[in-house]
Amino acid sequence: MCPRAERSGRARALAVPAAQGVDRVLITRARLRRRIRELAAQLSEDYAGGEVVCVGALNGVICFLADLMRELSVPAPVELVHVDRFLEGGSHTVDMPNQFREGLRGRDVLIVEDIVDTGVTLRALVDKVRAEAPATLKICALLDKPAHRQAEVHLDYVGFSIPPVFVVGYGLDYEGFYRNLPFVGVVDSAVWPPALLERPKSGSNLD
């Protein structure tokens, strides 16, 4: 696609009502599709001859996990984990009250994340999975935002490394909005658009 056509496509994507308040497209729908196919091909090769249990934290991972698992050529049972995140006094608290329904003991497990920012949520999820004694545990993240990292985590598969910007779309939200956008977009975190100022800020993008 030529630069002019790509710019035109991004402008159209931002023109829909659901994108109100989004400043620019960071990763287009086409780029997401290509990269997810590449990740799935690598995972299918690495887990060939076996299966892998995909564990994802709700709600942000739903788009990425759904598209990724459809591209896998190996059996891939899915476990979805409810996560409560709180930001108080600059400290992140993570609570995962539900037990796993899939038995993970002795199985190959892949944690699938939409975005790894501080790493606090992922660290808690890794600890929860390891307590189940899986045979192997690896991590696949669509977006890696290392600039704000607070907890040490190792990512085995990464879709895109991104700068320290506030992103929405493709499952990522702001106060529950923007998850349905088919691209990853940037919201200016320094000058919040009027559409976002109307809603109180909370702890989104704290993964």
Side-chain angles (χ1 to χ4, degrees):
M1 181 182 294
C2 70
R4 180 177 298 178
E6 185 174 356
R7 286 195 299 270
S8 176
R10 294 187 180 203
R12 287 194 301 272
L14 291 175
V16 300
Q20 181 183 4
V22 179
D23 295 293
R24 66 184 188 276
V25 176
L26 182 65
I27 306 172
T28 65
R29 186 175 192 172
R31 286 186 67 202
L32 286 168
R33 285 176 172 173
R34 286 196 300 269
R35 186 66 183 124
I36 289 169
R37 290 192 184 108
E38 292 170 354
L39 288 170
Q42 184 62 59
L43 288 164
S44 296
E45 179 180 333
D46 292 349
Y47 290 100
E51 66 173 28
V52 58
V53 182
C54 295
V55 175
L58 294 170
N59 288 330
V61 78
I62 53 176
C63 293
F64 177 42
L65 179 56
D67 286 346
L68 181 68
M69 61 184 287
R70 282 195 290 258
E71 296 290 340
L72 293 174
S73 63
V74 296
V78 172
E79 177 72 45
L80 295 175
V81 180
H82 182 76
V83 178
D84 292 320
R85 306 178 183 91
F86 307 94
L87 179 59
E88 297 180 359
S91 177
H92 296 164
T93 301
V94 180
D95 183 31
M96 299 180 188
N98 297 341
Q99 298 298 314
F100 292 117
R101 292 181 296 177
E102 282 280 345
L104 304 183
R105 180 177 296 274
R107 303 175 74 180
D108 293 325
V109 176
L110 178 72
I111 292 178
V112 180
E113 275 279 37
D114 51 344
I115 184 170
V116 181
D117 189 350
T118 65
V120 173
T121 300
L122 177 56
R123 182 73 262 167
L125 183 53
V126 166
D127 291 343
K128 185 177 179 70
V129 171
R130 281 183 174 162
E132 300 295 313
T136 65
L137 174 59
K138 292 186 177 182
I139 299 167
C140 177
L142 176 64
L143 305 176
D144 179 25
K145 186 163 63 172
H148 295 159
R149 195 78 88 240
Q150 296 178 13
E152 184 178 350
V153 290
H154 171 71
L155 307 181
D156 300 280
Y157 308 90
V158 174
F160 303 91
S161 291
I162 64 172
V165 291
F166 192 96
V167 289
V168 294
Y170 198 65
L172 294 162
D173 78 305
Y174 177 85
E175 293 296 324
F177 292 87
Y178 304 113
R179 294 193 194 276
N180 59 313
L181 295 176
F183 58 84
V184 175
V186 174
V187 173
D188 189 340
S189 59
V191 183
W192 291 83
L196 297 185
L197 286 174
E198 295 172 1
R199 309 174 193 137
K201 300 176 187 178
S202 70
S204 298
N205 277 211
L206 294 180
D207 292 349

